[in-house]
Amino acid sequence: MDSRRLQILSDMGIEAWCLRRAAPLSRRSPPAPAVPAVPAVPKAPAPARARSPSARRGASVPPAPRPAAPTARAQDPADAEPFTLIAFCAAGEGGGALLATGGLTGRGQAALAADIVRCLSRNWSAAVRRIEFNWPLPGVTGAAGPALSAFLDKQVNDFSVIRALATQSAAARLPALGLGVAAIPDLDQLDSPEAKRALWRQLQAP
């Protein structure tokens, strides 16, 4: 029905009915073919950049190695332990005498040592001096030999020593004195009259 007729019917109070046409179907585009998904290729992890220990947060830098301490020079065990050497000296008209002994361990050994020196110097009224060498010496390092040699050389020169004796324990420490040194028993072995008699005969021999 055209629009004019519809207007006339509307003016007469008549409502016109008409069938509605179905709306034309919209052409739909066929669905696009599905594209297979390409699996993602995992990326290789980037190589870690080397960092110095000092650049790492919280990492402590190891201390530099200290230089090795110089090795101490080996010392003769005989020089490492303290010891005492006593020189009994006496001057005489024909030359002085010297007796080197270790530390005194008994009563009367000093008097016996003085008598030995007087007998050796052929002067029973000679004044005998007792001079001690105690190792180690303050402020002196190294071996004891050079210091002991200087000590004995001084006594030899001061008393013009031409005859010298040393007890067996002291003879092991004596350096060369430039004169013959005879060995006698240690003073603690000369307590008996027989030992002293044998020593007197040895001292009086030319």
Side-chain angles (χ1 to χ4, degrees), residues 86-90 97-101 104 110 113-114 117 128-131:
I86 304 175
F88 290 88
C89 306
L98 179 146
L99 170 65
T101 181
L104 305 180
V117 172
V128 179
R129 287 194 57 190
R130 169 181 169 176
I131 308 166

Side-chain angles (χ1 to χ4, degrees), residues 1-16:
M1 184 179 293
D2 58 9
S3 59
R4 184 169 176 272
R5 291 178 179 179
L6 290 176
Q7 183 64 41
I8 295 172
L9 293 175
S10 178
D11 292 338
M12 296 173 63
I14 300 172
E15 184 177 359

Side-chain angles (χ1 to χ4, degrees), residues 73 75 133-144 146-147:
R73 187 180 62 180
Q75 189 177 17
F133 175 88
N134 295 298
W135 181 259
L137 296 176
V140 178
T141 59

